[in-house]
Amino acid sequence: MLSPARTRFALLALALGGFGIGCTEFVAIGLLPDLARDLLPGVYAVNPEDANAQAGALIAAYAAGVVVGAPTIAAFAARFSRKKLLIGLTIWFALATFASALLPSFGLVLVARFVAALPHGAYFGVASLVATSLMGPGNRGRGVAFVIGGLTIANVIGVPSITWLGQQTSWRVAYVAVGVVFALTSLAVILAVPRMAANPGATVRNELRAFTVPQVWFALAIGAIGFGGLFSAYTYVSPIATDVARLPVEVVPLLLIAFGVGMTIGNFVGGHYVDRGVKRAIIVFFVGVIASLAGLLLTASVPILLFVFIFLIGATSSALSPAIQVRLMDVAGDSQTIAAAINHSSLNIGNALGAYLGGLTIAAGLGYLSPIVVGLLLSIAGVVLALVAFVFDRRATAREVPAAQAVPIDAL
């Protein structure tokens, strides 16, 4: 039995990994014009909008890496010691992030961002299971929220600070700083996280059984399509601020702070709310995302309202994350490791989908507000899909209950 102080230390170590992941995933958003200018100089000189749209592929590549890595690593590593696995994943993050900072060309950096993303979902999945174990029964939502809290706090402190550092020096210096965060996380996990026995019954086959459950696919689609709405708008927040609201580039880190504060508050509110009812939480927070995106579309040119709605988008979307993760854990049966990990696959499919579709509309000359329209349509599709999933779930439960209550013929 761990002491309360040791438990807090272990939870903070897990959250530090989430902090590093938040930095490595989101810092590219604030530095997107810098990445475009440095890695695509020829395109940028002719058409900055086209260069920014192409640079969005770096964000999509990271998202694709999460999608591939989360189920693969989670399935094959389910029988390993969770502490050793967390150490290995954080070292992987550090090395791949340093490579992103040092490689010379757009193509090589693109590959490095994909490789850096592979352990993302597995880390959050394993860390969430460790956190829920440390916090005890009845606290799944809060355990998941604590780990994700590192990511949300990164958007308050880490991403704006490292974005500012990159703007003052180079985006490469920014990624070196992120690599240092992961190196420190490895040390913290070694010192703080207790040893936890691996699950001897976990096999690749047992973990992959999650994909035979229809409600797992529903939950993945809800996350992917719904979160595409967030990322379609948020990926291009820097040019929205400078070209639509006419704000100086120095204001972009402050906008990222507003988003991060919203994410942090929404994450912990969502974690508490989820423990009272997962389905209700998903619907309530999806409606909040839709309302926030609509507000941003109508008021993006007004600086103060731009800040307000970026904050609200961060809060409502972040509250959805623990809800979808707990939903996956509820419907996946014994495949808990992969269920905890593939939530991040679905969210990053949304990341890639949103960034790609938003980039298409910008490249087509529809302006920097067009990704917000795409985001609205995707979020509406997400909430409709959630309602359909819950209807099927209710019908399946209604069929199972009478069967369970029936008296066997032999007993009559």
Side-chain angles (χ1 to χ4, degrees), residues 63-105:
V66 178
V67 173
V68 173
T72 306
I73 296 175
F76 282 94
R79 296 188 63 181
F80 291 121
S81 160
R82 286 174 178 170
K83 178 171 181 175
K84 290 181 179 178
L85 182 56
L86 288 172
I87 294 168
L89 293 174
T90 54
I91 291 172
W92 184 337
F93 271 125
L95 294 177
T97 305
F98 285 132
S100 300
L102 298 174
L103 290 169
S105 69

Side-chain angles (χ1 to χ4, degrees), residues 23-112:
C23 291
T24 199
E25 181 173 18
F26 293 117
V27 78
I29 291 173
L31 294 174
L32 195 65
D34 303 85
L35 287 158
R37 190 183 304 110
D38 185 48
L39 294 173
L40 298 165
V43 179
Y44 193 89
V46 175
N47 189 338
E49 281 195 1
D50 191 29
N52 284 333
Q54 289 186 41
L58 295 169
I59 298 167
Y62 185 93
V66 178
V67 173
V68 173
T72 306
I73 296 175
F76 282 94
R79 296 188 63 181
F80 291 121
S81 160
R82 286 174 178 170
K83 178 171 181 175
K84 290 181 179 178
L85 182 56
L86 288 172
I87 294 168
L89 293 174
T90 54
I91 291 172
W92 184 337
F93 271 125
L95 294 177
T97 305
F98 285 132
S100 300
L102 298 174
L103 290 169
S105 69
F106 180 80
L108 291 175
V109 173
L110 193 73
V111 172

Side-chain angles (χ1 to χ4, degrees), residues 5-366:
R6 177 70 186 280
T7 299
R8 285 193 294 271
F9 189 20
L11 289 170
L12 287 172
L14 297 173
L16 182 61
F19 181 88
I21 292 173
C23 291
T24 199
E25 181 173 18
F26 293 117
V27 78
I29 291 173
L31 294 174
L32 195 65
D34 303 85
L35 287 158
R37 190 183 304 110
D38 185 48
L39 294 173
L40 298 165
V43 179
Y44 193 89
V46 175
N47 189 338
E49 281 195 1
D50 191 29
N52 284 333
Q54 289 186 41
L58 295 169
I59 298 167
Y62 185 93
V66 178
V67 173
V68 173
T72 306
I73 296 175
F76 282 94
R79 296 188 63 181
F80 291 121
S81 160
R82 286 174 178 170
K83 178 171 181 175
K84 290 181 179 178
L85 182 56
L86 288 172
I87 294 168
L89 293 174
T90 54
I91 291 172
W92 184 337
F93 271 125
L95 294 177
T97 305
F98 285 132
S100 300
L102 298 174
L103 290 169
S105 69
F106 180 80
L108 291 175
V109 173
L110 193 73
V111 172
R113 298 313 298 147
F114 176 84
V115 172
L118 292 173
H120 176 125
Y123 177 87
F124 272 123
V126 175
S128 294
L129 292 173
V130 172
T132 54
S133 177
L134 290 170
M135 294 187 73
N139 293 310
R140 289 183 308 160
R142 277 166 280 191
V144 170
F146 201 99
V147 176
I148 298 175
L151 184 150
T152 64
I153 291 170
N155 281 277
V156 180
I157 301 171
V159 174
S161 299
I162 294 173
T163 298
W164 178 85
L165 176 65
Q167 289 174 340
Q168 301 304 309
T169 55
S170 162
W171 67 267
R172 296 183 185 276
V173 174
Y175 274 105
V176 168
V178 176
V180 171
V181 172
F182 284 123
L184 292 174
T185 303
S186 298
L187 180 61
V189 170
I190 291 169
L191 294 175
V193 175
R195 294 180 182 177
M196 290 190 175
N199 180 4
T203 64
V204 174
R205 178 177 293 180
N206 287 343
E207 290 295 321
L208 292 178
R209 280 178 184 159
F211 294 109
T212 66
V213 180
Q215 284 295 333
V216 168
W217 286 103
F218 267 120
L220 290 174
I222 291 164
I225 296 173
F227 269 76
L230 161 66
F231 289 110
S232 179
Y234 186 56
T235 297
Y236 302 98
V237 67
S238 181
I240 288 172
T242 55
D243 286 51
V244 177
R246 303 296 179 184
L247 294 170
V249 70
E250 290 79 13
V251 173
V252 172
L254 298 178
L255 202 57
L256 300 181
I257 290 174
F259 182 81
V261 171
M263 285 190 73
T264 303
I265 295 172
N267 175 61
F268 289 107
V269 169
H272 283 274
Y273 199 74
V274 166
D275 288 329
R276 300 179 182 180
V278 178
K279 293 179 181 179
R280 181 176 60 182
I282 289 174
I283 298 301
V284 167
F285 294 127
F286 250 130
V287 171
V289 172
I290 292 168
S292 301
L293 285 169
L296 180 64
L297 177 64
L298 296 173
T299 63
S301 61
V302 182
I304 186 64
L305 294 178
L306 174 64
F307 273 85
V308 169
F309 284 108
I310 286 293
F311 168 85
L312 291 174
I313 290 169
T316 53
S317 61
S318 182
L320 261 178
S321 185
I324 294 175
Q325 178 142 339
V326 171
R327 174 65 179 170
L328 274 166
M329 293 166 72
D330 282 344
V331 299
D334 294 330
S335 307
Q336 290 295 292
T337 302
I338 201 166
I342 58 178
N343 177 44
H344 297 277
S345 286
S346 71
L347 301 188
N348 279 273
I349 289 173
N351 189 338
L353 181 67
Y356 174 72
L357 293 178
L360 283 183
T361 61
I362 293 171
L366 299 179

